[in-house]
Amino acid sequence: MTRSLATRIGRTALKNPLIAASAEHLIDADGVRAALKAGAGAVVVKSTNEVQAAKDQLQRAEYMVLDEHWRPVPWGPEAPRGATIACRSGLHPLSFEPWLEQTARLDREARALDSYAIPSLILGDLDHALAMARKVEQAGLRVLEFNIGTPYASQAAKGAVSTELLPERISHLVQAMREAISLPLWIKVTGQSERVPELARAAFEAGADSVVMAGRLLGFLPDVETMEPFLGTSLGIGGFWNLPLTCHWLATSRLALGSERPLIGINGAQSGLDIARMMLAGASAVGIASPVMLRGFELLGQSLAEFQDYLDAKGINAADLVGVAVNHRKTFADMPLRQDNWRNYVPQARTIAGE
C-alpha cells in the first residue's frame, strides 16, 4: 500500500515534506521549474532584499567542495557523500520588482502542480522589508519566508544581511512583519546560537506560522599548502555532518514549544532517509539546498522516491512521523547504569620497552 506523503506547515498543506530550499540553483526561473518538475512540495526562490551590496556579493561568490581530509575535490555529482560544501554567497541579482514578477509567475505555475514557489526576503532594513512583504502579498503569493538567520552578517557589508541572535529582537521583527501581512509566515533562524529554541519561541509568539531551523554555519579553514584561508576569508559551510545538529535543535525546540508549533528542518539532509530522520526529530517538512547545487535536480526526485519507499516499508504516513523519536528521548540522568562501560571504548595502554 502506498502511504501518504502529505504534511502541513500550520495553515499550509504540502503534497510532500520535501522543500527545495533557497540557493543559487533557484535564481533562474528554469531552475525553479526543474525543482517543481522533480516533485518538491515547495520551492523557496533565491532570497532578495533592497541592499545593493548584498546583490554585489553574488558577483564575488566562490564555491568549493572538500573531502574528509579537507582537500578540495572537483565540484559535481562525483564528489564524496561525506563532502563539506563551502562558499561565499550573495542575494538574487534581479532588482525587487523583476524578482517579484518572476516569483509570482512561478508560483502560478507551481499551483498547477499542487506545489508552491515561495519568496524569501532577507532582512536588511526593516522598513524596506515590510514594504517588500506587502508587495509580495499584493502580488498574490501564498507564503513568505523571512530569513533573519544568514551566516554572513559579520562578514558582509554593514546592513547587507542579518544574523539575529536575541529573542527580543526576533520578537520585534516578527511582530512587525506579522502586522504588515496576513500571509503564512516562515521565519528562518540561525544555528550559530545556543538559544535556538528561545529564538523559535520568540518567533512563534510574535506571529510566525513556522520556524525554519537552523541556517548554515560560519567557518574558517586554512589551506596547509598555501597557508592562506580557503576562498580567502570566512565561509558558509554545510554537509552531512550537520544532520545531528539540526535534529538536536528540532527535538529540543519541539520539547520546549510543543507539538502544535510546526518546524522546518534545514542543513544536513541529502536523501529520503534524511528527510525521515529530521521528521522523526520534529520537523514537519525538510529543506534541501546545497546537495542539489552539487549533484543536480535529480537528487530531489531520488530523495522523494527513497522517502516513499521508507514510508511504505514502515506502513506509516509522512505526517505520522513528526516527532516520534522525540517522544522516546531521555535525559542522560534517565539512562541505566553501565558500570565501567567506558573501558570498552578506550585503547589499551602498554608499557613502552625500556621505561
Side-chain angles (χ1 to χ4, degrees):
M1 176 181 177
T2 301
R3 309 302 297 197
S4 172
L5 295 172
T7 189
R8 293 196 67 86
I9 310 295
R11 291 180 278 165
T12 305
L14 297 183
K15 65 180 180 181
N16 66 61
L18 174 55
I19 297 173
S22 175
E24 280 80 337
H25 60 298
L26 301 175
I27 289 176
D28 292 335
D30 284 346
V32 176
R33 292 185 180 110
L36 291 168
K37 185 178 179 181
V43 179
V44 181
V45 175
K46 181 64 172 172
S47 308
T48 194
N49 69 13
E50 78 288 353
V51 182
Q52 187 59 43
K55 299 180 185 299
D56 292 345
Q57 181 57 47
L58 182 67
Q59 307 310 322
R60 296 184 173 89
E62 290 186 87
Y63 310 84
M64 67 188 314
V65 60
L66 300 160
D67 69 12
E68 68 275 18
H69 301 290
W70 304 113
R71 297 175 304 201
V73 296
W75 186 277
E78 300 306 315
R81 190 178 187 280
T84 292
I85 297 171
C87 71
R88 301 191 314 274
S89 187
L91 300 193
H92 202 293
L94 289 178
S95 59
F96 177 70
E97 295 298 339
W99 172 89
L100 179 58
E101 181 182 353
Q102 174 177 285
T103 305
R105 183 173 64 252
L106 289 166
D107 191 42
R108 290 193 293 272
E109 296 177 23
R111 188 191 291 268
L113 297 171
D114 191 24
S115 187
Y116 293 79
I118 296 174
S120 176
L121 296 178
I122 284 185
L123 178 65
D125 170 76
L126 179 57
D127 288 340
H128 279 96
L130 298 178
M132 288 178 170
R134 293 186 186 101
K135 290 183 178 180
V136 164
E137 185 164 39
Q138 291 163 8
L141 286 147
R142 296 173 287 161
V143 180
L144 175 65
E145 179 187 87
F146 188 30
N147 185 348
I148 54 178
T150 69
Y152 300 114
S154 65
Q155 304 300 310
K158 184 176 176 59
V161 295
S162 180
T163 308
E164 299 296 337
L165 298 168
L166 298 176
E168 54 270 28
R169 170 74 172 161
I170 286 181
S171 294
H172 169 68
L173 294 170
V174 177
Q175 182 176 349
M177 187 61 75
R178 179 75 289 161
E179 291 173 354
I181 62 171
S182 60
L183 288 176
L185 181 59
W186 298 355
I187 303 298
K188 190 173 183 180
V189 300
T190 182
Q192 296 174 179
S193 171
E194 293 184 355
R195 306 176 70 185
V196 171
E198 295 175 57
L199 304 182
R201 183 186 298 278
F204 278 119
E205 291 182 350
D209 289 81
S210 182
V211 171
V212 184
M213 61 174 62
R216 286 187 307 152
L217 305 176
L218 194 64
F220 180 89
L221 189 63
D223 181 343
V224 294
E225 296 300 326
T226 66
M227 303 186 189
E228 297 178 0
F230 277 125
L231 302 186
T233 183
S234 294
L235 309 164
I237 58 168
F240 81 102
W241 44 263
N242 204 84
L243 181 70
L245 306 181
T246 298
C247 287
H248 168 74
W249 287 131
L250 289 166
T252 303
S253 298
R254 184 176 174 88
L255 285 169
L257 305 177
S259 60
E260 71 279 3
R261 303 294 200 184
L263 305 172
I264 299 172
I266 193 169
N267 202 354
Q270 51 183 341
S271 70
L273 291 182
D274 288 346
I275 296 172
R277 291 177 178 110
M278 283 198 186
M279 294 187 75
L280 288 165
S284 294
V286 175
I288 302 180
S290 298
V292 183
M293 281 187 65
L294 182 63
R295 306 188 190 281
F297 291 98
E298 298 82 2
L299 182 95
L300 296 171
Q302 293 163 2
S303 296
L304 276 174
E306 184 180 51
F307 183 62
Q308 181 74 73
D309 288 346
Y310 170 79
L311 294 179
D312 294 347
K314 292 292 185 182
I316 191 171
N317 297 324
D320 299 325
L321 284 180
V322 181
V324 169
V326 183
N327 299 335
H328 298 283
R329 184 185 182 190
K330 299 179 177 66
T331 68
F332 282 16
D334 293 328
M335 304 307 291
L337 288 173
R338 298 180 184 272
Q339 192 67 34
D340 288 340
N341 183 50
W342 62 270
R343 293 187 182 278
N344 296 315
Y345 302 94
V346 298
Q348 295 298 310
R350 294 181 175 85
T351 302
I352 298 175
E355 291 189 353

